Amino acid sequence: LVPLIAPSNSTSVMSRENKGTKVFIGNLAPDCDGKDLRDFFRDYGVCNDAWVARKPPGFGFVWLDDERDARDAVRDLDGRDCRGQRVRIELSSGRGPSGGGGGGGGG
């Protein structure tokens, strides 16, 4: 049997706080907020949390309940327009955004 929730010491992209799978969003519009991110990801399962950076602005994270939904969102939403900006979407490795496009979510 496969557990439905990864243990906190797992090497998957599940966050330590068990919020779900953490997804990085880069190149956000300066006026983008958590509600905008929740709306942007609304077709990709349950969004447990959303956070937008202010200092410096331009990036944020969402935590999706299901890792498969997160992977689908990354595939489908990367390069799409969110509030007038073409955003970069990738699975977060927990170490911040990757520089080269790998995303770093392994497991």
Side-chain angles (χ1 to χ4, degrees):
L1 294 174
V2 177
L4 296 177
I5 298 176
S8 61
N9 62 353
S10 170
T11 57
S12 78
V13 292
M14 190 76 151
S15 79
R16 289 184 185 149
E17 297 86 19
N18 291 326
K19 289 183 189 179
T21 302
K22 188 177 181 182
V23 179
F24 169 83
I25 306 98
N27 199 37
L28 288 174
D31 60 343
C32 189
D33 61 22
K35 182 184 179 315
D36 295 323
L37 292 185
R38 287 178 186 272
D39 288 346
F40 191 63
F41 284 85
R42 73 179 170 267
D43 294 332
Y44 295 91
V46 176
C47 180
N48 293 324
D49 198 5
W51 177 83
V52 176
R54 294 293 169 219
K55 293 182 182 180
F59 72 96
F61 297 95
V62 296
W63 287 262
L64 297 178
D65 200 49
D66 187 284
E67 186 172 340
R68 291 169 298 185
D69 290 337
R71 291 184 187 282
D72 289 346
V74 168
R75 182 192 66 230
D76 296 347
L77 297 177
D78 186 40
R80 294 277 179 99
D81 183 83
C82 179
R83 298 201 41 112
Q85 293 281 111
R86 186 177 182 150
V87 295
R88 191 175 88 233
I89 312 287
E90 58 188 57
L91 290 179
S92 177
S93 64
R95 295 182 301 256
S98 70

